[in-house]
């Protein structure tokens, strides 16, 4: 939980290196883990916070019970959860016009505040290492298609599209990496599923999580392109892939969770990788997998595009601060009108 003015409220059970980094950047840092909701709310009021930003939504360890007490006059949902909080005490939700287009049918209790650019700002890992050459160049023409998304995001519709791509590109392989593949039985179930649908299991690589971040990031050197999941798209995995020069094909959808990839790709000028239907998603993936020249060009261009448009912190903060300032001016104006 963060507040405008630089006071951060940490509700972390096991602090790690990221926690310490964030703490070093905060004007004020309060460790509120172990405090009751009422105690945290009292502390926020005592700190005289004007704009309180809630970052967890309905995820584990959230502080929505604190936000429900409305300890700050302006409360904003952002980043950590792809849906509404459902709380009338939260007036705003930060997003953009691509993740949540103006004609969205998704319902929010909060008023959507669309930032001028992508609603996310990505800080790449210092341990990522350099981009590699496209692996298809050294594999005799075999193209490796990947996805490092959580296994729970891979549903029947996603699998059907991936199977279609593998069938249309016979010289392709599929590489998936996620935690459950540490289990041999889970791997076998997945391989059996592909085999039952006519795909030789020898074309499928299933990798578990790797212990070191450098190892994880360098795993992208093994794939030529990645396919996004839907209706719950990747976020961090998409940013990581693009940073490592690996293009991502995504599918536009009716909700924020599906459109994060749309926002990220639009930000870096890669709208050509965004599909509007599942058939187009398959066509885009096949076209990219069979165009080695384009894969090589994207490998060289994507990191600089991410650096310029998704990792430009100062530029991002300008839009963010403008949004907070508008919220504050609106609050002052409404209060003044109520007093008249």
């Amino acid at each position: 939980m963060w507040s405008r003015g630089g006071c951060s409220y940490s509700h972390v059970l096991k602090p790690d290196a990221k926690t310490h980094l964030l703490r070093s950047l905060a004007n004020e840092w309060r460790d509120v883990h172990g405090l009751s909701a009422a105690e945290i709310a009292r502390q926020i009021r005592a700190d005289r916070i004007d704009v309180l930003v809630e970052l967890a939504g309905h995820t584990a360890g959230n502080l929505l019970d604190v936000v429900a007490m409305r300890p700050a006059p302006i409360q904003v949902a952002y980043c950590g959860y792809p849906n509404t909080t459902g709380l009338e005490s939260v007036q705003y939700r930060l997003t953009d016009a691509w993740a949540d287009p103006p004609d969205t049918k998704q319902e929010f209790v909060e008023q959507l505040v669309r930032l001028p650019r992508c609603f996310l700002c990505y800080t790449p890992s210092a341990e990522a290492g350099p981009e590699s050459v496209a692996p298809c160049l050294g594999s005799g023409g075999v193209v490796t298609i990947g996805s490092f998304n959580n296994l729970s995001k891979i549903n029947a519709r996603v699998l059907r599209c991936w199977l279609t791509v593998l069938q249309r590109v016979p010289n392709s392989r599929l590489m998936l990496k996620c935690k459950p593949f540490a289990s041999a039985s889970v791997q076998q179930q997945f391989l059996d599923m592909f085999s039952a649908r006519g795909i030789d299991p020898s074309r499928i690589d299933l990798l578990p999580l790797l212990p070191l971040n450098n190892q994880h990031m360098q795993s992208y050197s093994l794939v030529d392109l990645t396919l996004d999941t839907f209706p719950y798209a990747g976020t961090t995995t998409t940013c990581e892939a693009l940073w490592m020069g690996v293009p991502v094909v995504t599918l536009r959808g009716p909700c924020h969770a599906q459109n994060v990839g749309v926002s990220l790709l639009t930000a870096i000028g890669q709208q050509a990788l965004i599909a509007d239907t599942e058939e187009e998603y398959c066509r885009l993936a096949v076209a990219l997998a069979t165009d080695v020249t384009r894969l090589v060009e994207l490998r060289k261009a994507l990191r600089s595009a991410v650096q310029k448009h998704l990792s430009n912190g100062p530029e991002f903060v300008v839009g963010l601060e403008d949004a907070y300032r508008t919220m504050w001016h609106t609050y002052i104006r409404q209060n003044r009108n109520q007093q008249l």
Side-chain angles (χ1 to χ4, degrees):
M1 187 178 288
W2 179 88
S3 65
R4 188 175 185 273
C7 187
S8 299
Y9 300 88
S10 174
H11 193 244
V12 177
L13 177 61
K14 295 180 179 179
D16 56 15
K18 188 70 71 176
T19 310
H20 298 313
L21 172 62
L22 293 172
R23 181 170 188 164
S24 72
L25 298 172
N27 291 342
E28 294 286 343
W29 182 273
R30 301 201 186 282
D31 185 353
V32 298
H33 188 268
L35 299 182
S36 69
E39 289 171 325
I40 298 171
R42 279 198 297 271
Q43 182 63 67
I44 293 171
R45 292 190 185 102
D47 291 334
R48 302 183 60 138
I49 299 305
D50 296 318
V51 181
L52 185 67
V53 185
E54 189 281 319
L55 297 172
H58 291 277
T59 60
N62 70 74
L63 294 176
L64 289 179
D65 50 353
V66 175
V67 176
M69 299 178 187
R70 197 160 183 175
I74 300 171
Q75 301 192 146
V76 186
Y78 175 55
C79 190
Y81 185 68
N83 209 327
T84 181
T85 63
L87 296 177
E88 293 183 359
S89 58
V90 181
Q91 301 103 307
Y92 299 103
R93 173 178 166 79
L94 290 170
T95 182
D96 62 45
W98 302 276
D100 291 293
D103 62 350
T104 181
K105 300 298 189 294
Q106 187 174 359
E107 296 184 357
F108 296 91
V109 169
E110 307 86 358
Q111 177 183 333
L112 297 183
V113 174
R114 296 177 174 87
L115 298 178
R117 297 177 177 82
C118 178
F119 76 103
L120 296 169
C121 187
Y122 174 62
T123 301
S125 169
E127 302 171 347
E131 315 99 298
S132 67
V133 297
C136 60
L137 294 178
S139 62
V142 175
V143 174
T144 302
I145 300 165
S147 174
F148 293 176
N149 278 291
N150 192 300
L151 187 60
S152 62
K153 295 182 177 182
I154 303 174
N155 55 52
R157 290 170 57 202
V158 171
L159 277 175
R160 185 166 57 247
C161 286
W162 292 359
L163 285 163
T164 297
V165 174
L166 289 172
Q167 289 163 350
R168 293 181 185 177
V169 187
N171 63 323
S172 65
R173 300 179 58 79
L174 180 65
M175 178 177 290
L176 307 178
K177 185 169 88 66
C178 61
K179 187 176 181 179
F181 290 142
S183 166
S185 62
V186 173
Q187 285 200 24
Q188 193 58 53
Q189 289 174 19
F190 222 77
L191 292 175
D192 289 345
M193 185 167 47
F194 277 97
S195 180
R197 290 162 175 78
I199 299 297
D200 187 339
S202 66
R203 295 175 64 190
I204 312 297
D205 294 310
L206 305 177
L207 307 179
L209 295 186
L210 297 172
L212 300 178
N213 192 48
N214 172 261
Q215 294 174 320
H216 165 67
M217 294 299 290
Q218 285 301 309
S219 296
Y220 287 99
S221 68
L222 303 175
V223 297
D224 293 288
L225 69 148
T226 62
L227 300 181
D228 207 354
T229 50
F230 54 86
Y232 199 156
T235 301
T236 303
T237 51
T238 299
C239 291
E240 290 173 342
L242 296 173
W243 181 253
M244 298 306 292
V246 181
V248 181
V249 175
T250 195
L251 176 64
R252 195 190 318 272
C255 63
H256 178 98
Q258 186 166 341
N259 289 328
V260 173
V262 174
S263 177
L264 294 168
L265 289 171
T266 300
I268 63 170
Q270 292 296 329
Q271 294 92 327
L273 298 176
I274 302 169
D276 288 309
T277 66
E278 291 179 25
E279 174 56 31
E280 185 183 13
Y281 173 95
C282 294
R283 287 202 308 269
L284 292 179
V286 170
L288 190 55
T290 54
D291 190 342
V292 173
T293 300
R294 189 177 173 206
L295 288 173
V296 171
E297 290 173 349
L298 286 169
R299 202 85 174 192
K300 296 176 181 177
L302 287 175
R303 177 170 290 195
S304 61
V306 171
Q307 199 160 25
K308 182 177 181 181
H309 300 292
L310 282 177
S311 298
N312 190 332
E315 184 177 84
F316 174 81
V317 168
V318 169
L320 191 62
E321 288 290 341
D322 282 347
Y324 293 146
R325 192 174 296 110
T326 299
M327 294 173 195
W328 179 248
H329 288 166
T330 299
Y331 172 75
I332 294 297
R333 185 173 62 253
Q334 289 174 343
N335 274 8
R336 184 184 299 124
N337 291 341
Q338 290 173 4
Q339 293 170 6
L340 293 176

